[in-house]
Amino acid sequence: GMSLVTTTAHATITASVGGVPSGGTVYETFNSVPLGSGTFTTPSGITVSFGGDAQAVTGASGGLYAPPFLSGGNGSNFGGQPNWPDTTTYLSSGSTGSYSNSGVTLSFAGPTNYLGLLWGSVDAYNTLTFYNGTTEVGMFTGSDVTSLANGDQGAQGTYFVNINLSDSFTSVVGTSSQYAFEFDDVAIDAISADPLKVPEPGTAGVFLLGLLLLGSACWLKGRQLS
């Protein structure tokens, strides 16, 4: 199918019709997310939250949202979905033109550099913004995915998009100035929700010194007993 590779100073984007994840070890279908809005954490550890009239949906609603289209067997990575319009739960951004706070936010348990997603009926006015904490570290539109960002709801309008950022990010926000930005089937790197707490260098030094002193004291005590 059609494919595009975009390289900027901060990112490499590969996008192709029927494409597959180029990285990541966690594949999220969002099928555990209840239909509608709110905030929900999936079993894979991604927290999904909706603003405005963004929501988790199925099927199509005229003028509001249409399902992404699976092709090239790329549904096999996500529970074996067939080549066909997505029949499972997917995420729709709503429209910031109608509700200024509309958007879908995916928050991760820790920083990562890779995101893959099935981006449905790509429009030039769809925007994906990456944040590390509250700092914006990247922003891409449908035009970065394909020069034909015209909202095609058929098989040729959905791209699997792989984004590798040079800067780490902890969340990503999908927005659209018109209806709508629809996506599903996200791939990310495995992120530990409870990373090992690494002591501060100063604390570690003091701790090690304490161990050494304790060891010396035990050794001296042992010498005195023998």
Side-chain angles (χ1 to χ4, degrees):
M2 298 280 302
S3 68
L4 176 89
V5 178
T6 306
T7 305
T8 70
H10 301 292
T12 302
I13 303 172
T14 60
S16 58
V17 173
V20 296
S22 65
T25 52
V26 174
Y27 297 136
E28 177 55 62
T29 63
F30 302 109
N31 294 346
S32 64
V33 177
L35 298 181
S37 56
T39 298
F40 186 82
T41 300
T42 69
S44 69
I46 298 175
T47 299
V48 186
S49 53
F50 302 95
D53 64 341
Q55 55 185 318
V57 296
T58 56
S61 180
L64 294 178
Y65 50 81
F69 208 111
L70 296 123
S71 63
N74 56 10
S76 62
N77 295 289
F78 298 93
Q81 299 171 60
N83 291 340
W84 194 250
D86 192 346
T87 57
T88 69
T89 301
Y90 64 94
L91 310 181
S92 173
S93 70
S95 165
T96 56
S98 299
Y99 298 86
S100 60
N101 63 330
S102 284
V104 179
T105 301
L106 305 181
S107 302
F108 311 111
T112 185
N113 292 81
Y114 166 76
L115 177 78
L117 75 159
L118 187 72
W119 188 325
S121 52
V122 179
D123 281 298
Y125 47 78
N126 299 161
T127 303
L128 205 53
T129 309
F130 292 77
Y131 294 91
N132 191 344
T134 56
T135 304
E136 184 181 315
V137 293
M139 185 181 78
F140 310 99
T141 70
S143 298
D144 293 308
V145 170
T146 171
S147 58
L148 305 172
N150 58 7
D152 179 353
Q153 294 176 10
Q156 296 304 306
T158 292
Y159 288 69
F160 199 91
V161 183
N162 293 289
I163 301 173
N164 287 279
L165 243 59
S166 56
D167 296 306
S168 297
F169 56 91
T170 54
S171 67
V172 60
V173 182
T175 55
S176 192
S177 58
Q178 301 176 47
Y179 291 102
F181 179 174
E182 304 98 341
F183 66 96
D184 198 1
D185 295 354
V186 159
I188 59 164
D189 297 318
I191 303 164
S192 171
D194 186 22
L196 285 169
K197 301 284 189 289
V198 180
E200 303 274 320
T203 316
V206 172
F207 179 67
L208 284 173
L209 184 62
L211 280 181
L212 286 170
L213 289 172
L214 185 65
S216 303
C218 291
W219 182 81
L220 283 169
K221 191 172 181 189
R223 297 281 294 175
Q224 286 164 357
L225 289 173
S226 58

